[in-house]
Amino acid sequence: MLETEFTPFASLLGGALIGLSAVILMASHGRVAGISGIVSRVLPPAVDTKRLPQGLTFIVGLLLVAPLWFGIFGQAPVVAISSNMVLLGIAGILVGFGSVLGNGCTSGHGVCGISRLSGRSIIATVTFMATGAATVFILRYVVGG
Amino acid sequence: MSWGAKSMRILSTLFAGLLFGTGLILSGMANPTKVQNFLDVFGTWDPSLAFVMGGAILVTAPGFWFVQKRSTPFFHDMFHLSTRKDVDARLLTGAALFGVGWGLGGLCPGPVVTSLPFATTGVLVFVPTMLVGMSLAKFTALPSRKFVAD
């Protein structure tokens, strides 16, 4: 139940599409593709009105994928998610708060920042992977064990 | 900025969003259990996420380098790239908290926005709380914290 299949080719190809998307944003208007930044900039306080249109169209693009995927393949991809809603609520707060405080998430730091060899991004990525791994360990083997 | 450049920016971000979301679903990253399994090195480890990041960086690193040989982007007057080198408490605390939340649910901003229309109950709980967390962090970053005095 807990196991997932290792998918090197699909993951490499999917990653390449994500990378291509980041290159398009950089070529188009010189910005890194950080999803936490794009989403948080359209939120209060201090909504970035100048960048609102392009932020919203990126989000619309993301939101259109699921219905298109469903239309083409006739089924949704596997989304095996925790059924503990309190836990997911806490996770949401931490992900939202942490990504804005730390200026980035897996896309902004993990993909774009590392591609630019940004020291801050490399340190951020190592940090969130370490605390993420520690959290999964505690969740699965200390609390859940 | 001219109307043409503006509409090209809109079109390119829409296309970039479509590509990004397709990449996330294709790579399996819309499945939180797959993400958690990457973080579970000593248990049911699934190294796929490393291949996603690797595939992305293999395209992004040379792509960014090539694009930045231009003096400006195609539809804007300048590149906006962080030149910060300082590692401060905000960066470390933020990344650490983000990692804990990421581990708890296996969810992060890109995949949850992408899988939102599939309306999985857990994602529907996660997204609003994530947005609240983002707003809270923006409040703490405001230059004058008027909301404390009010």
mmCIF file of all heavy atoms in Angstrom, chain A residues 2 4-5 7 11 15 19 21 27-28 30 40 43-45 54 57 78 80 92 98 106 110 116 120 128 131-132 140-141, chain B residues 9 12-13 16 27 31 33-34 37 40 43 46 48 53 56 60 74-75 80 82 86 94-96 99 108 130 135 138:
data_model
loop_
_atom_site.group_PDB
_atom_site.id
_atom_site.type_symbol
_atom_site.label_atom_id
_atom_site.label_comp_id
_atom_site.label_asym_id
_atom_site.label_seq_id
_atom_site.Cartn_x
_atom_site.Cartn_y
_atom_site.Cartn_z
ATOM 1 N N LEU A 2 1.891 1.205 0.876
ATOM 2 C CA LEU A 2 2.745 2.365 1.031
ATOM 3 C C LEU A 2 3.741 2.492 -0.122
ATOM 4 O O LEU A 2 4.206 3.567 -0.439
ATOM 5 C CB LEU A 2 3.502 2.247 2.359
ATOM 6 C CG LEU A 2 3.786 3.552 3.099
ATOM 7 C CD1 LEU A 2 2.511 4.317 3.351
ATOM 8 C CD2 LEU A 2 4.502 3.261 4.405
ATOM 9 N N THR A 4 5.493 2.737 -3.733
ATOM 10 C CA THR A 4 5.184 3.275 -5.052
ATOM 11 C C THR A 4 6.239 2.768 -6.009
ATOM 12 O O THR A 4 7.374 2.494 -5.617
ATOM 13 C CB THR A 4 5.184 4.821 -5.041
ATOM 14 O OG1 THR A 4 6.380 5.281 -4.406
ATOM 15 C CG2 THR A 4 3.977 5.372 -4.303
ATOM 16 N N GLU A 5 5.860 2.667 -7.267
ATOM 17 C CA GLU A 5 6.768 2.129 -8.277
ATOM 18 C C GLU A 5 7.807 3.188 -8.661
ATOM 19 O O GLU A 5 7.458 4.354 -8.885
ATOM 20 C CB GLU A 5 5.940 1.728 -9.501
ATOM 21 C CG GLU A 5 6.700 0.915 -10.520
ATOM 22 C CD GLU A 5 5.963 0.849 -11.851
ATOM 23 O OE1 GLU A 5 4.775 1.211 -11.893
ATOM 24 O OE2 GLU A 5 6.591 0.464 -12.843
ATOM 25 N N THR A 7 9.783 5.193 -11.090
ATOM 26 C CA THR A 7 9.484 5.505 -12.493
ATOM 27 C C THR A 7 10.561 6.428 -13.075
ATOM 28 O O THR A 7 10.299 7.612 -13.291
ATOM 29 C CB THR A 7 8.132 6.228 -12.596
ATOM 30 O OG1 THR A 7 8.162 7.346 -11.668
ATOM 31 C CG2 THR A 7 6.970 5.335 -12.240
ATOM 32 N N SER A 11 9.595 10.095 -14.750
ATOM 33 C CA SER A 11 9.994 11.175 -13.853
ATOM 34 C C SER A 11 11.023 12.089 -14.512
ATOM 35 O O SER A 11 10.965 13.314 -14.372
ATOM 36 C CB SER A 11 10.530 10.611 -12.538
ATOM 37 O OG SER A 11 9.476 10.043 -11.806
ATOM 38 N N GLY A 15 10.207 15.824 -15.379
ATOM 39 C CA GLY A 15 11.133 16.838 -14.882
ATOM 40 C C GLY A 15 11.610 17.756 -15.996
ATOM 41 O O GLY A 15 11.693 18.969 -15.826
ATOM 42 N N GLY A 19 11.393 21.747 -16.323
ATOM 43 C CA GLY A 19 12.549 22.573 -16.649
ATOM 44 C C GLY A 19 12.289 23.474 -17.849
ATOM 45 O O GLY A 19 12.634 24.654 -17.840
ATOM 46 N N SER A 21 9.403 24.578 -18.825
ATOM 47 C CA SER A 21 8.491 25.618 -18.361
ATOM 48 C C SER A 21 9.274 26.747 -17.692
ATOM 49 O O SER A 21 9.015 27.932 -17.934
ATOM 50 C CB SER A 21 7.483 25.001 -17.381
ATOM 51 O OG SER A 21 6.803 25.992 -16.671
ATOM 52 N N ALA A 27 12.856 33.168 -20.332
ATOM 53 C CA ALA A 27 13.013 33.780 -21.653
ATOM 54 C C ALA A 27 11.949 34.839 -21.896
ATOM 55 O O ALA A 27 12.215 35.879 -22.497
ATOM 56 C CB ALA A 27 12.931 32.703 -22.734
ATOM 57 N N SER A 28 10.734 34.597 -21.396
ATOM 58 C CA SER A 28 9.635 35.508 -21.658
ATOM 59 C C SER A 28 9.758 36.802 -20.857
ATOM 60 O O SER A 28 9.730 37.888 -21.407
ATOM 61 C CB SER A 28 8.315 34.795 -21.360
ATOM 62 O OG SER A 28 7.357 35.685 -20.882
ATOM 63 N N GLY A 30 11.988 37.017 -17.734
ATOM 64 C CA GLY A 30 13.138 37.119 -16.842
ATOM 65 C C GLY A 30 12.886 36.792 -15.386
ATOM 66 O O GLY A 30 13.539 37.367 -14.515
ATOM 67 N N SER A 40 1.810 33.109 -3.801
ATOM 68 C CA SER A 40 1.713 34.030 -2.659
ATOM 69 C C SER A 40 1.614 35.483 -3.101
ATOM 70 O O SER A 40 1.037 36.309 -2.402
ATOM 71 C CB SER A 40 2.899 33.843 -1.705
ATOM 72 O OG SER A 40 4.098 34.217 -2.332
ATOM 73 N N LEU A 43 -1.819 36.868 -3.201
ATOM 74 C CA LEU A 43 -2.539 36.854 -1.931
ATOM 75 C C LEU A 43 -2.301 38.146 -1.153
ATOM 76 O O LEU A 43 -1.248 38.763 -1.298
ATOM 77 C CB LEU A 43 -2.057 35.682 -1.065
ATOM 78 C CG LEU A 43 -2.346 34.264 -1.554
ATOM 79 C CD1 LEU A 43 -1.640 33.271 -0.636
ATOM 80 C CD2 LEU A 43 -3.838 34.002 -1.571
ATOM 81 N N PRO A 44 -3.264 38.536 -0.284
ATOM 82 C CA PRO A 44 -2.999 39.660 0.610
ATOM 83 C C PRO A 44 -2.033 39.237 1.717
ATOM 84 O O PRO A 44 -1.929 38.039 1.968
ATOM 85 C CB PRO A 44 -4.384 39.961 1.198
ATOM 86 C CG PRO A 44 -5.122 38.662 1.117
ATOM 87 C CD PRO A 44 -4.593 37.956 -0.096
ATOM 88 N N PRO A 45 -1.328 40.105 2.384
ATOM 89 C CA PRO A 45 -1.318 41.556 2.147
ATOM 90 C C PRO A 45 -0.371 41.907 0.999
ATOM 91 O O PRO A 45 0.411 41.068 0.585
ATOM 92 C CB PRO A 45 -0.742 42.076 3.477
ATOM 93 C CG PRO A 45 0.192 40.995 3.920
ATOM 94 C CD PRO A 45 -0.453 39.701 3.487
ATOM 95 N N GLN A 54 0.131 37.967 -15.114
ATOM 96 C CA GLN A 54 0.960 36.831 -15.516
ATOM 97 C C GLN A 54 0.993 35.747 -14.437
ATOM 98 O O GLN A 54 1.128 34.562 -14.743
ATOM 99 C CB GLN A 54 2.370 37.292 -15.886
ATOM 100 C CG GLN A 54 3.200 37.836 -14.733
ATOM 101 C CD GLN A 54 4.170 38.904 -15.192
ATOM 102 O OE1 GLN A 54 3.858 39.728 -16.058
ATOM 103 N NE2 GLN A 54 5.363 38.925 -14.618
ATOM 104 N N THR A 57 -2.368 33.864 -14.926
ATOM 105 C CA THR A 57 -2.421 32.994 -16.111
ATOM 106 C C THR A 57 -1.581 31.738 -15.899
ATOM 107 O O THR A 57 -1.945 30.658 -16.359
ATOM 108 C CB THR A 57 -1.935 33.704 -17.396
ATOM 109 O OG1 THR A 57 -0.781 34.461 -17.101
ATOM 110 C CG2 THR A 57 -3.016 34.581 -17.962
ATOM 111 N N VAL A 78 -2.978 8.688 -9.903
ATOM 112 C CA VAL A 78 -3.069 8.264 -8.498
ATOM 113 C C VAL A 78 -2.687 9.427 -7.577
ATOM 114 O O VAL A 78 -1.626 10.031 -7.744
ATOM 115 C CB VAL A 78 -2.123 7.072 -8.232
ATOM 116 C CG1 VAL A 78 -2.206 6.633 -6.775
ATOM 117 C CG2 VAL A 78 -2.461 5.924 -9.174
ATOM 118 N N ALA A 80 -2.523 9.308 -3.787
ATOM 119 C CA ALA A 80 -2.673 8.593 -2.515
ATOM 120 C C ALA A 80 -2.243 9.516 -1.394
ATOM 121 O O ALA A 80 -1.069 9.828 -1.240
ATOM 122 C CB ALA A 80 -1.823 7.327 -2.522
ATOM 123 N N GLY A 92 -0.341 22.119 5.642
ATOM 124 C CA GLY A 92 -0.632 23.245 4.750
ATOM 125 C C GLY A 92 -0.101 24.554 5.312
ATOM 126 O O GLY A 92 0.560 25.332 4.609
ATOM 127 N N GLY A 98 6.326 28.447 5.601
ATOM 128 C CA GLY A 98 7.755 28.181 5.408
ATOM 129 C C GLY A 98 8.245 28.586 4.022
ATOM 130 O O GLY A 98 9.333 29.145 3.885
ATOM 131 N N THR A 106 10.124 23.742 -3.581
ATOM 132 C CA THR A 106 10.846 22.765 -4.390
ATOM 133 C C THR A 106 11.160 23.290 -5.793
ATOM 134 O O THR A 106 12.173 22.924 -6.382
ATOM 135 C CB THR A 106 10.022 21.469 -4.505
ATOM 136 O OG1 THR A 106 8.653 21.817 -4.520
ATOM 137 C CG2 THR A 106 10.278 20.560 -3.326
ATOM 138 N N GLY A 110 14.633 24.401 -5.384
ATOM 139 C CA GLY A 110 15.082 23.069 -5.793
ATOM 140 C C GLY A 110 15.429 22.946 -7.260
ATOM 141 O O GLY A 110 16.357 22.240 -7.626
ATOM 142 N N ARG A 116 20.838 27.771 -11.113
ATOM 143 C CA ARG A 116 21.643 29.005 -11.159
ATOM 144 C C ARG A 116 22.831 28.912 -10.212
ATOM 145 O O ARG A 116 23.545 29.891 -10.018
ATOM 146 C CB ARG A 116 20.776 30.210 -10.764
ATOM 147 C CG ARG A 116 19.592 30.468 -11.677
ATOM 148 C CD ARG A 116 18.748 31.614 -11.130
ATOM 149 N NE ARG A 116 19.579 32.777 -10.847
ATOM 150 C CZ ARG A 116 19.535 33.473 -9.714
ATOM 151 N NH1 ARG A 116 18.718 33.127 -8.751
ATOM 152 N NH2 ARG A 116 20.320 34.509 -9.542
ATOM 153 N N ARG A 120 22.246 30.095 -1.597
ATOM 154 C CA ARG A 120 21.060 30.132 -0.731
ATOM 155 C C ARG A 120 20.100 29.003 -1.085
ATOM 156 O O ARG A 120 19.539 28.343 -0.218
ATOM 157 C CB ARG A 120 20.337 31.490 -0.895
ATOM 158 C CG ARG A 120 20.903 32.609 -0.047
ATOM 159 C CD ARG A 120 20.296 33.956 -0.420
ATOM 160 N NE ARG A 120 18.848 34.023 -0.291
ATOM 161 C CZ ARG A 120 18.223 34.354 0.845
ATOM 162 N NH1 ARG A 120 18.900 34.644 1.918
ATOM 163 N NH2 ARG A 120 16.909 34.395 0.881
ATOM 164 N N PHE A 128 15.353 21.666 3.582
ATOM 165 C CA PHE A 128 13.979 21.128 3.587
ATOM 166 C C PHE A 128 13.935 19.633 3.278
ATOM 167 O O PHE A 128 13.024 18.935 3.714
ATOM 168 C CB PHE A 128 12.990 21.977 2.770
ATOM 169 C CG PHE A 128 13.170 22.069 1.276
ATOM 170 C CD1 PHE A 128 13.060 20.969 0.460
ATOM 171 C CD2 PHE A 128 13.360 23.322 0.685
ATOM 172 C CE1 PHE A 128 13.165 21.082 -0.924
ATOM 173 C CE2 PHE A 128 13.468 23.461 -0.695
ATOM 174 C CZ PHE A 128 13.379 22.330 -1.505
ATOM 175 N N THR A 131 14.744 18.116 6.866
ATOM 176 C CA THR A 131 13.620 18.148 7.819
ATOM 177 C C THR A 131 12.448 17.331 7.286
ATOM 178 O O THR A 131 11.706 16.732 8.057
ATOM 179 C CB THR A 131 13.165 19.596 8.137
ATOM 180 O OG1 THR A 131 12.775 20.248 6.920
ATOM 181 C CG2 THR A 131 14.257 20.396 8.813
ATOM 182 N N GLY A 132 12.298 17.286 5.968
ATOM 183 C CA GLY A 132 11.241 16.461 5.372
ATOM 184 C C GLY A 132 11.479 14.984 5.637
ATOM 185 O O GLY A 132 10.565 14.255 6.039
ATOM 186 N N ARG A 140 6.271 7.864 10.288
ATOM 187 C CA ARG A 140 6.052 6.463 9.918
ATOM 188 C C ARG A 140 6.585 5.467 10.939
ATOM 189 O O ARG A 140 6.024 4.394 11.105
ATOM 190 C CB ARG A 140 6.707 6.186 8.558
ATOM 191 C CG ARG A 140 5.926 6.792 7.415
ATOM 192 C CD ARG A 140 6.526 6.429 6.071
ATOM 193 N NE ARG A 140 5.639 6.838 4.981
ATOM 194 C CZ ARG A 140 5.946 6.683 3.692
ATOM 195 N NH1 ARG A 140 7.101 6.143 3.357
ATOM 196 N NH2 ARG A 140 5.088 7.073 2.764
ATOM 197 N N TYR A 141 7.707 5.807 11.596
ATOM 198 C CA TYR A 141 8.361 4.784 12.433
ATOM 199 C C TYR A 141 8.338 5.105 13.920
ATOM 200 O O TYR A 141 8.545 4.227 14.730
ATOM 201 C CB TYR A 141 9.801 4.568 11.961
ATOM 202 C CG TYR A 141 9.840 4.250 10.488
ATOM 203 C CD1 TYR A 141 10.309 5.180 9.570
ATOM 204 C CD2 TYR A 141 9.339 3.035 10.004
ATOM 205 C CE1 TYR A 141 10.306 4.904 8.207
ATOM 206 C CE2 TYR A 141 9.336 2.752 8.651
ATOM 207 C CZ TYR A 141 9.819 3.691 7.752
ATOM 208 O OH TYR A 141 9.798 3.421 6.418
ATOM 209 N N ARG B 9 3.441 37.904 -22.841
ATOM 210 C CA ARG B 9 3.774 37.430 -21.482
ATOM 211 C C ARG B 9 2.653 36.566 -20.933
ATOM 212 O O ARG B 9 2.887 35.538 -20.307
ATOM 213 C CB ARG B 9 3.990 38.625 -20.542
ATOM 214 C CG ARG B 9 5.344 39.241 -20.630
ATOM 215 C CD ARG B 9 5.813 39.744 -19.270
ATOM 216 N NE ARG B 9 4.883 40.675 -18.649
ATOM 217 C CZ ARG B 9 4.895 41.984 -18.878
ATOM 218 N NH1 ARG B 9 5.762 42.499 -19.710
ATOM 219 N NH2 ARG B 9 4.052 42.766 -18.261
ATOM 220 N N SER B 12 2.675 33.235 -22.799
ATOM 221 C CA SER B 12 3.795 32.362 -22.441
ATOM 222 C C SER B 12 3.651 31.825 -21.025
ATOM 223 O O SER B 12 4.030 30.682 -20.752
ATOM 224 C CB SER B 12 5.137 33.076 -22.635
ATOM 225 O OG SER B 12 5.202 34.234 -21.858
ATOM 226 N N THR B 13 3.084 32.625 -20.099
ATOM 227 C CA THR B 13 2.900 32.096 -18.744
ATOM 228 C C THR B 13 1.808 31.027 -18.724
ATOM 229 O O THR B 13 1.915 30.053 -17.986
ATOM 230 C CB THR B 13 2.541 33.192 -17.718
ATOM 231 O OG1 THR B 13 1.552 34.044 -18.266
ATOM 232 C CG2 THR B 13 3.758 33.995 -17.323
ATOM 233 N N ALA B 16 3.460 28.023 -20.047
ATOM 234 C CA ALA B 16 4.409 27.523 -19.047
ATOM 235 C C ALA B 16 3.669 26.791 -17.928
ATOM 236 O O ALA B 16 4.122 25.748 -17.449
ATOM 237 C CB ALA B 16 5.238 28.674 -18.477
ATOM 238 N N SER B 27 5.406 13.028 -14.034
ATOM 239 C CA SER B 27 6.537 12.576 -13.216
ATOM 240 C C SER B 27 6.094 11.835 -11.963
ATOM 241 O O SER B 27 6.920 11.269 -11.258
ATOM 242 C CB SER B 27 7.401 13.770 -12.828
ATOM 243 O OG SER B 27 6.663 14.646 -11.994
ATOM 244 N N ASN B 31 1.329 12.694 -6.784
ATOM 245 C CA ASN B 31 0.989 11.657 -5.805
ATOM 246 C C ASN B 31 1.823 11.837 -4.528
ATOM 247 O O ASN B 31 3.018 11.556 -4.527
ATOM 248 C CB ASN B 31 1.249 10.276 -6.417
ATOM 249 C CG ASN B 31 0.845 9.160 -5.479
ATOM 250 O OD1 ASN B 31 0.337 9.403 -4.374
ATOM 251 N ND2 ASN B 31 1.077 7.931 -5.900
ATOM 252 N N THR B 33 2.155 10.246 -1.805
ATOM 253 C CA THR B 33 2.838 9.071 -1.246
ATOM 254 C C THR B 33 4.183 8.847 -1.938
ATOM 255 O O THR B 33 5.159 8.436 -1.321
ATOM 256 C CB THR B 33 1.941 7.821 -1.380
ATOM 257 O OG1 THR B 33 0.705 8.098 -0.722
ATOM 258 C CG2 THR B 33 2.570 6.613 -0.722
ATOM 259 N N LYS B 34 4.232 9.165 -3.229
ATOM 260 C CA LYS B 34 5.486 9.026 -3.986
ATOM 261 C C LYS B 34 6.538 10.015 -3.464
ATOM 262 O O LYS B 34 7.727 9.693 -3.376
ATOM 263 C CB LYS B 34 5.201 9.276 -5.469
ATOM 264 C CG LYS B 34 6.173 8.596 -6.420
ATOM 265 C CD LYS B 34 5.618 8.629 -7.831
ATOM 266 C CE LYS B 34 6.688 8.291 -8.851
ATOM 267 N NZ LYS B 34 7.199 6.924 -8.745
ATOM 268 N N ASN B 37 7.711 8.829 -0.116
ATOM 269 C CA ASN B 37 8.603 7.684 -0.274
ATOM 270 C C ASN B 37 10.010 8.094 -0.701
ATOM 271 O O ASN B 37 10.978 7.410 -0.411
ATOM 272 C CB ASN B 37 8.026 6.679 -1.278
ATOM 273 C CG ASN B 37 6.962 5.804 -0.644
ATOM 274 O OD1 ASN B 37 6.837 5.749 0.582
ATOM 275 N ND2 ASN B 37 6.186 5.125 -1.463
ATOM 276 N N ASP B 40 11.621 8.846 2.480
ATOM 277 C CA ASP B 40 11.736 7.678 3.358
ATOM 278 C C ASP B 40 12.896 6.793 2.879
ATOM 279 O O ASP B 40 12.694 5.685 2.382
ATOM 280 C CB ASP B 40 10.404 6.911 3.331
ATOM 281 C CG ASP B 40 10.332 5.863 4.421
ATOM 282 O OD1 ASP B 40 11.311 5.712 5.182
ATOM 283 O OD2 ASP B 40 9.297 5.192 4.511
ATOM 284 N N GLY B 43 13.161 3.299 4.325
ATOM 285 C CA GLY B 43 11.954 2.470 4.306
ATOM 286 C C GLY B 43 11.573 2.117 2.888
ATOM 287 O O GLY B 43 12.348 1.490 2.163
ATOM 288 N N ASP B 46 11.599 5.520 -2.815
ATOM 289 C CA ASP B 46 11.328 5.646 -4.249
ATOM 290 C C ASP B 46 12.142 6.840 -4.748
ATOM 291 O O ASP B 46 11.814 7.982 -4.452
ATOM 292 C CB ASP B 46 9.819 5.884 -4.466
ATOM 293 C CG ASP B 46 9.470 6.062 -5.941
ATOM 294 O OD1 ASP B 46 10.387 6.211 -6.778
ATOM 295 O OD2 ASP B 46 8.265 6.055 -6.251
ATOM 296 N N SER B 48 12.344 8.349 -7.434
ATOM 297 C CA SER B 48 11.825 9.093 -8.596
ATOM 298 C C SER B 48 12.009 10.607 -8.498
ATOM 299 O O SER B 48 12.357 11.255 -9.490
ATOM 300 C CB SER B 48 10.336 8.780 -8.803
ATOM 301 O OG SER B 48 10.152 7.403 -9.014
ATOM 302 N N MET B 53 13.881 16.180 -10.339
ATOM 303 C CA MET B 53 14.754 17.349 -10.156
ATOM 304 C C MET B 53 15.915 17.318 -11.140
ATOM 305 O O MET B 53 16.271 18.342 -11.728
ATOM 306 C CB MET B 53 15.289 17.397 -8.727
ATOM 307 C CG MET B 53 14.340 18.058 -7.753
ATOM 308 S SD MET B 53 15.058 18.200 -6.098
ATOM 309 C CE MET B 53 16.284 19.474 -6.381
ATOM 310 N N ALA B 56 14.700 18.228 -14.600
ATOM 311 C CA ALA B 56 14.401 19.661 -14.674
ATOM 312 C C ALA B 56 15.700 20.465 -14.753
ATOM 313 O O ALA B 56 15.840 21.347 -15.612
ATOM 314 C CB ALA B 56 13.583 20.086 -13.460
ATOM 315 N N THR B 60 16.914 23.212 -17.294
ATOM 316 C CA THR B 60 16.922 24.587 -16.792
ATOM 317 C C THR B 60 18.316 25.209 -16.755
ATOM 318 O O THR B 60 18.482 26.370 -17.156
ATOM 319 C CB THR B 60 16.294 24.638 -15.383
ATOM 320 O OG1 THR B 60 15.027 23.987 -15.421
ATOM 321 C CG2 THR B 60 16.086 26.069 -14.938
ATOM 322 N N PHE B 74 12.609 38.286 -23.736
ATOM 323 C CA PHE B 74 11.914 38.640 -24.975
ATOM 324 C C PHE B 74 10.799 39.659 -24.776
ATOM 325 O O PHE B 74 10.618 40.556 -25.580
ATOM 326 C CB PHE B 74 11.340 37.376 -25.633
ATOM 327 C CG PHE B 74 12.391 36.511 -26.265
ATOM 328 C CD1 PHE B 74 13.026 35.521 -25.534
ATOM 329 C CD2 PHE B 74 12.761 36.718 -27.588
ATOM 330 C CE1 PHE B 74 14.008 34.726 -26.111
ATOM 331 C CE2 PHE B 74 13.744 35.935 -28.181
ATOM 332 C CZ PHE B 74 14.373 34.933 -27.445
ATOM 333 N N PHE B 75 10.027 39.503 -23.680
ATOM 334 C CA PHE B 75 8.838 40.354 -23.526
ATOM 335 C C PHE B 75 8.866 41.214 -22.268
ATOM 336 O O PHE B 75 7.833 41.525 -21.680
ATOM 337 C CB PHE B 75 7.572 39.482 -23.544
ATOM 338 C CG PHE B 75 7.550 38.512 -24.682
ATOM 339 C CD1 PHE B 75 7.511 37.141 -24.443
ATOM 340 C CD2 PHE B 75 7.598 38.961 -26.000
ATOM 341 C CE1 PHE B 75 7.509 36.243 -25.493
ATOM 342 C CE2 PHE B 75 7.604 38.077 -27.061
ATOM 343 C CZ PHE B 75 7.562 36.714 -26.815
ATOM 344 N N HIS B 80 15.037 39.480 -13.667
ATOM 345 C CA HIS B 80 14.918 39.687 -12.221
ATOM 346 C C HIS B 80 15.508 38.474 -11.518
ATOM 347 O O HIS B 80 14.834 37.468 -11.355
ATOM 348 C CB HIS B 80 13.446 39.837 -11.821
ATOM 349 C CG HIS B 80 12.786 41.016 -12.445
ATOM 350 N ND1 HIS B 80 12.733 42.249 -11.834
ATOM 351 C CD2 HIS B 80 12.169 41.163 -13.634
ATOM 352 C CE1 HIS B 80 12.104 43.101 -12.623
ATOM 353 N NE2 HIS B 80 11.749 42.475 -13.726
ATOM 354 N N SER B 82 17.716 37.017 -8.171
ATOM 355 C CA SER B 82 18.244 37.311 -6.847
ATOM 356 C C SER B 82 19.761 37.216 -6.872
ATOM 357 O O SER B 82 20.332 36.277 -7.414
ATOM 358 C CB SER B 82 17.678 36.319 -5.827
ATOM 359 O OG SER B 82 18.398 36.423 -4.626
ATOM 360 N N ASP B 86 23.637 35.971 1.265
ATOM 361 C CA ASP B 86 23.603 35.777 2.714
ATOM 362 C C ASP B 86 22.651 34.635 3.108
ATOM 363 O O ASP B 86 21.566 34.514 2.582
ATOM 364 C CB ASP B 86 23.114 37.069 3.386
ATOM 365 C CG ASP B 86 21.727 37.475 2.902
ATOM 366 O OD1 ASP B 86 21.526 37.527 1.667
ATOM 367 O OD2 ASP B 86 20.835 37.692 3.741
ATOM 368 N N GLY B 94 12.547 29.166 7.407
ATOM 369 C CA GLY B 94 11.518 28.942 6.393
ATOM 370 C C GLY B 94 11.682 27.592 5.716
ATOM 371 O O GLY B 94 10.726 26.821 5.603
ATOM 372 N N ALA B 95 12.897 27.285 5.289
ATOM 373 C CA ALA B 95 13.138 26.015 4.602
ATOM 374 C C ALA B 95 12.878 24.842 5.539
ATOM 375 O O ALA B 95 12.296 23.825 5.139
ATOM 376 C CB ALA B 95 14.567 25.969 4.064
ATOM 377 N N ALA B 96 13.292 24.984 6.804
ATOM 378 C CA ALA B 96 13.099 23.893 7.772
ATOM 379 C C ALA B 96 11.607 23.638 7.999
ATOM 380 O O ALA B 96 11.151 22.483 7.977
ATOM 381 C CB ALA B 96 13.799 24.228 9.086
ATOM 382 N N GLY B 99 9.982 22.065 5.009
ATOM 383 C CA GLY B 99 10.334 20.640 4.923
ATOM 384 C C GLY B 99 9.471 19.784 5.836
ATOM 385 O O GLY B 99 9.028 18.698 5.447
ATOM 386 N N CYS B 108 3.338 19.974 -1.831
ATOM 387 C CA CYS B 108 3.939 21.310 -1.886
ATOM 388 C C CYS B 108 3.171 22.132 -2.928
ATOM 389 O O CYS B 108 2.281 21.615 -3.610
ATOM 390 C CB CYS B 108 5.441 21.235 -2.129
ATOM 391 S SG CYS B 108 5.942 20.418 -3.638
ATOM 392 N N MET B 130 -2.717 26.222 3.339
ATOM 393 C CA MET B 130 -1.451 26.678 2.743
ATOM 394 C C MET B 130 -1.540 28.167 2.397
ATOM 395 O O MET B 130 -0.600 28.932 2.651
ATOM 396 C CB MET B 130 -1.137 25.862 1.488
ATOM 397 C CG MET B 130 0.138 26.283 0.778
ATOM 398 S SD MET B 130 0.385 25.430 -0.793
ATOM 399 C CE MET B 130 -0.694 26.373 -1.887
ATOM 400 N N SER B 135 -0.151 33.907 3.564
ATOM 401 C CA SER B 135 -0.539 35.262 3.949
ATOM 402 C C SER B 135 0.083 35.644 5.284
ATOM 403 O O SER B 135 0.570 36.766 5.454
ATOM 404 C CB SER B 135 -2.065 35.380 4.041
ATOM 405 O OG SER B 135 -2.585 35.711 2.779
ATOM 406 N N LYS B 138 3.570 36.591 4.814
ATOM 407 C CA LYS B 138 3.687 37.905 4.181
ATOM 408 C C LYS B 138 3.473 39.014 5.206
ATOM 409 O O LYS B 138 4.132 40.044 5.158
ATOM 410 C CB LYS B 138 2.675 38.044 3.036
ATOM 411 C CG LYS B 138 3.080 37.267 1.782
ATOM 412 C CD LYS B 138 2.110 37.454 0.640
ATOM 413 C CE LYS B 138 2.280 38.788 -0.061
ATOM 414 N NZ LYS B 138 1.378 38.931 -1.225
#
